[in-house]
Amino acid sequence: MSDQKRPSVLIIDDHPEDQTAAIAVLKHTGLDVEVCLPNKLVDDHLRRADVVAIDQYYEWDLVPHPDEIAYWPQDGLALAAVVSRRLAALKSHAAIVLRTGELGRLAGNLPRAARVPLLSAQSGLDWILEKGEDENASPKLHQLAAGAASLRPFIHDQSSWNEGAAWLNLAESAPWSDSALAEVQVCRPPEHVVARYTAGNAWLRWFAHRVLPFPSFLISDLKAATLLGIGLRELQSIVSDSESEMGEELRNIVYTGHLSGLVDRRWWRAGIESFVDTALLDSSEDLEVAEALSDYYERLHGSPVTLLPHVHPVVTIDADYAEDGVADAMECVRLAPDLWPVFADEPWALRDDAMEIPDLAAMVSRGDRGRLHPMDVTS
């Protein structure tokens, strides 16, 4: 074990005796773990923590506190706000995570596919973990603690930051690394004054809330497959084939940096785009784009690879912001959903779906609204 401090998690719970199993799992992943009652929390707890994990509900009749409403938090969200302000006073910068069994009630009508990051942002939290998913909670806490702890050295020595390449685990040897960092910059990361002021927490929240959930410099399996011009199952089959040279090259484009475990697999967009460019440059100039891709993919994979039938394929989303398929752009309308980052890819939906689903129709961007109600040419 190196001299570097292990990432630390502080769990605030009114039943610490119930956390034995969770503590054992977290320690096994390489974390230091402390558990304390909410009324026993002191500054030293906060100074040591990289993540403060707070339960949503407390049995306050079991935990002594003042009766005046202004002197005790009603629930975990209120306690998180108190902890956040105390961390600021201490100039300490742990990530704050809420643990709840009522995510649906807290999130209300927020779109399901993005409700965790959106609710986290609205509540001043770094992330929310849903109880009942214990097998996923420990790895996610580890990801958050390690991500927060790993930002500290860069804040004190900005010369080693290199636009976040090390934290993002972007291999500088990758021929597309400069393009990837340029795409990171397009998303306006807080890496200067704001990052120093928050000891990196602003970067952590920006990445967790604005980058991971939406297609920008990191993209989903479906988006990566679509950029490659192939179907989702085709991509997954190729990547899982250990004998495929194409699969091997694509596996090197998967995002493996901090917080990669918070969401489903993500890919470096720049890497996927570079892969397609190489395919086109390596094929005969006499071939059309689809033919050139098919020829290159077959040579690299060792067997035919089926391409998408669409001329201009786009990934579509539903009213909950979940990717739900691929269609030709001519069959779709552009959307302008609430809280969708301006730097993220423009979202699309099938025109027929938007005509039938009111919640989806409400998201259609101004320029495409006329396509939902075409003029009656017979009138």
Side-chain angles (χ1 to χ4, degrees):
M1 187 74 182
S2 67
D3 293 335
Q4 186 175 357
K5 175 183 175 290
R6 295 185 352 153
S8 175
V9 171
L10 169 66
I11 298 175
I12 303 176
D13 195 279
D14 53 352
H15 289 284
E17 69 279 1
D18 295 340
Q19 301 301 316
T20 304
I23 292 170
V25 172
L26 289 170
K27 286 185 175 180
H28 183 70
T29 66
L31 294 176
D32 286 334
V33 185
E34 286 188 276
V35 182
C36 77
L37 291 162
N39 62 320
K40 298 295 184 181
L41 182 65
V42 296
D43 288 349
D44 282 345
H45 286 127
L46 298 180
R47 290 192 182 99
R48 289 192 292 266
D50 292 303
V51 165
V52 180
I54 301 173
D55 261 21
Q56 168 64 7
Y57 292 112
Y58 295 88
E59 296 183 56
W60 290 114
D61 56 326
L62 303 178
V63 181
H65 59 79
D67 292 332
E68 293 83 359
I69 192 170
Y71 293 96
W72 60 275
Q74 178 178 335
D75 57 16
L77 283 173
L79 180 57
V82 173
V83 168
S84 177
R85 294 309 303 149
R86 189 58 188 166
L87 284 167
L90 295 172
K91 296 185 179 180
S92 187
H93 301 278
I96 300 177
V97 176
L98 182 75
R99 303 194 304 166
T100 180
E102 296 190 2
L103 178 59
R105 186 186 67 80
L106 290 174
N109 293 325
L110 287 174
R112 289 182 61 87
R115 63 184 182 179
V116 168
L118 293 180
L119 181 60
S120 298
Q122 291 181 8
S123 305
L125 303 166
D126 290 276
W127 201 252
I128 297 173
L129 294 177
E130 189 167 12
K131 287 187 173 181
E133 299 181 352
D134 293 339
E135 68 279 4
N136 296 322
S138 295
K140 288 181 178 181
L141 269 178
H142 186 280
Q143 288 256 325
L144 288 159
S150 295
L151 282 168
R152 309 293 184 254
F154 294 123
I155 298 305
H156 297 300
D157 179 15
Q158 288 242 313
S159 65
S160 63
W161 177 240
N162 189 22
E163 298 174 304
W167 194 85
L168 296 167
N169 198 27
L170 174 61
E172 295 183 6
S173 60
W176 41 268
S177 62
D178 284 345
S179 296
L181 289 179
E183 291 182 357
V184 172
Q185 289 299 302
V186 168
C187 299
R188 294 293 187 267
E191 57 181 353
H192 301 299
V193 175
V194 172
R196 288 194 296 272
Y197 175 75
T198 65
N201 272 32
W203 171 281
L204 188 80
R205 290 193 178 187
W206 163 80
F207 188 76
H209 299 170
R210 309 296 285 165
V211 174
L212 286 179
F214 304 100
S216 56
F217 64 88
L218 297 181
I219 54 178
S220 67
D221 272 18
L222 183 58
K223 188 76 175 182
T226 304
L227 288 179
L228 289 167
I230 62 179
L232 174 61
R233 291 185 179 179
E234 193 85 33
L235 171 66
Q236 292 171 340
S237 175
I238 292 170
V239 172
S240 64
D241 185 352
S242 60
E243 302 297 321
S244 169
E245 186 178 349
M246 181 175 177
E248 181 179 357
E249 290 196 17
L250 288 176
R251 286 191 291 273
N252 291 328
I253 304 175
V254 173
Y255 173 68
T256 58
H258 284 293
L259 308 193
S260 59
L262 291 189
V263 295
D264 292 335
R265 180 170 56 188
R266 293 292 186 262
W267 301 78
W268 287 99
R269 173 195 293 277
I272 296 293
E273 291 172 338
S274 175
F275 188 88
V276 172
D277 289 343
T278 299
L280 297 177
L281 291 171
D282 193 73
S283 299
S284 171
E285 295 181 359
D286 298 331
L287 298 177
E288 297 292 333
V289 170
E291 294 173 326
L293 292 178
S294 179
D295 173 67
Y296 182 80
Y297 292 170
E298 181 174 350
R299 285 188 280 121
L300 203 60
H301 183 48
S303 60
V305 175
T306 303
L307 298 187
L308 291 171
H310 312 294
V311 178
H312 300 292
V314 294
V315 173
T316 59
I317 65 171
D318 62 19
D320 275 321
Y321 295 15
E323 295 177 343
D324 63 353
V326 178
D328 196 282
M330 294 299 294
E331 303 171 0
C332 301
V333 288
R334 295 167 297 170
L335 305 178
D338 291 347
L339 304 175
W340 193 275
V342 295
F343 56 74
D345 288 357
E346 192 169 43
W348 298 78
L350 280 169
R351 175 176 173 271
D352 289 347
D353 287 349
M355 293 177 67
E356 296 176 2
I357 304 171
D359 286 346
L360 203 54
M363 298 183 197
V364 175
S365 63
R366 186 177 184 86
D368 276 7
R369 289 175 195 166
R371 298 186 58 212
L372 294 184
H373 307 286
M375 296 178 60
D376 186 351
V377 296
T378 62
S379 59

